[in-house]
Amino acid sequence: AGCYNKFKNTKLPPALGFFSGKRCVAIVAGVVSILASVVLLFVWPILFNCLVALGNGIASMDYFGAGLYAFFNRLLIPTGLHHALNNVFWFDTIGLGDLNHFWAGDTTASANLSWDLGIYMSGFFPCMMFGIPGAALAMVRCAKPAKKKAAIGLVASAAVCAFICGVTEPFEFGFMFLAPALYVIYALLYGIFTMITVALGFRAGFSFSAGLTDLIFSASLPAAAKTWLIIPLGIAAFVVFYLVFRFAIIK
């Protein structure tokens, strides 16, 4: 973005005119990326070790830790660093592998695990499948009359994506930079609902994301439990997300 702003209007000599303007941006960005990668070669291990340390600390907190993980997972999405944090909990970076064990057909007892299998995935289902549609409805209801059709067009399809396949970015990137305080509230709701979900014993896993598709396929796995709770949990998530978003938007 910095390269684009600085070099988008660059004028080169006539012989190199083809590479002027926006085409120049790609060339400059390529060079800048090489330099950045040299810096990140030394910086990234420090950042990743911090994420591993965070993961180790959270992993010792049981249900409360699962809620903290969900909160940080959403909070890191604007930077893309949630993928690094996911590796700590879903795979074998520090010996957890919640996703790996779940889809391998293990259970907490059969694999002799130190955590309750599925707690780092289960809480996302009510939030993504029902919480986001609730928040989307609040946005539509709060939209100005002249903007209501545009709001429906923006968030309705995003809510459907979240419900069916757990793709949440179309919804999240629609407001995270416009209303960062609301996005922090959104992340907090994930943390709270994850703690409630795992405490009630709902267990489901995903290989892609926490949508209806993965819920159906994971429901038959040995570690899945009380998947019927998605109905009351989903209704609660829809109502709470709707009310909290509506209140926050109006205020």
Side-chain angles (χ1 to χ4, degrees):
C3 289
Y4 179 84
N5 289 336
K6 190 170 181 64
F7 297 103
K8 64 183 178 180
N9 296 317
T10 299
K11 299 294 183 183
L12 297 174
L16 299 173
F18 178 80
F19 299 105
S20 293
K22 294 178 182 178
R23 291 188 180 91
C24 182
V25 174
I27 299 170
V28 174
V31 176
V32 170
S33 296
I34 292 171
L35 297 175
S37 68
V38 174
V39 175
L40 287 171
L41 187 65
F42 301 97
V43 173
W44 172 245
I46 298 172
L47 293 175
F48 187 67
N49 286 336
C50 290
L51 288 172
V52 170
L54 176 65
N56 277 317
I58 289 175
S60 64
M61 299 180 189
D62 202 31
Y63 297 164
F64 183 70
L68 272 179
Y69 160 65
F71 169 68
F72 284 119
N73 172 281
R74 293 298 98 180
L75 210 58
L76 287 170
I77 278 186
T79 65
L81 287 175
H82 63 297
H83 289 298
L85 186 63
N86 292 343
N87 271 293
V88 174
F89 291 93
W90 293 349
F91 306 109
D92 292 325
T93 306
I94 61 172
L96 286 176
D98 202 40
L99 189 154
N100 283 354
H101 283 290
F102 202 100
W103 286 91
D106 296 331
T107 63
T108 303
S110 69
N112 194 27
L113 302 176
S114 61
W115 76 97
D116 196 0
L117 187 57
I119 65 173
Y120 299 117
M121 297 182 287
S122 302
F124 289 95
F125 283 93
C127 296
M128 291 183 177
M129 290 176 62
F130 296 93
I132 286 179
L137 178 61
M139 289 181 170
V140 171
R141 292 290 302 275
C142 293
K144 295 174 181 177
K147 300 290 186 180
K148 201 168 287 286
K149 285 186 178 180
I152 293 172
L154 176 68
V155 301
S157 57
V160 172
C161 280
F163 179 82
I164 294 176
C165 51
V167 176
T168 60
E169 285 82 357
F171 175 75
E172 291 157 343
F173 278 89
F175 79 97
M176 62 170 57
F177 298 117
L178 296 172
L182 181 59
Y183 190 79
V184 174
I185 293 171
Y186 169 76
L188 280 169
L189 289 173
Y190 265 78
I192 292 168
F193 264 94
T194 293
M195 284 188 279
I196 294 171
T197 300
V198 297
L200 290 175
F202 172 88
R203 295 291 181 272
F206 48 81
S207 59
F208 177 67
S209 191
L212 178 64
T213 306
D214 274 282
L215 178 62
I216 292 171
F217 283 114
S218 73
S220 60
L221 293 171
K226 297 183 180 179
T227 52
W228 58 268
L229 278 174
I230 192 62
I231 302 302
L233 282 168
I235 293 172
F238 183 92
V239 172
V240 170
F241 271 69
Y242 171 78
L243 292 176
V244 170
F245 264 68
R246 182 174 173 83
F247 175 82
I249 291 168
I250 291 173
K251 291 299 179 182

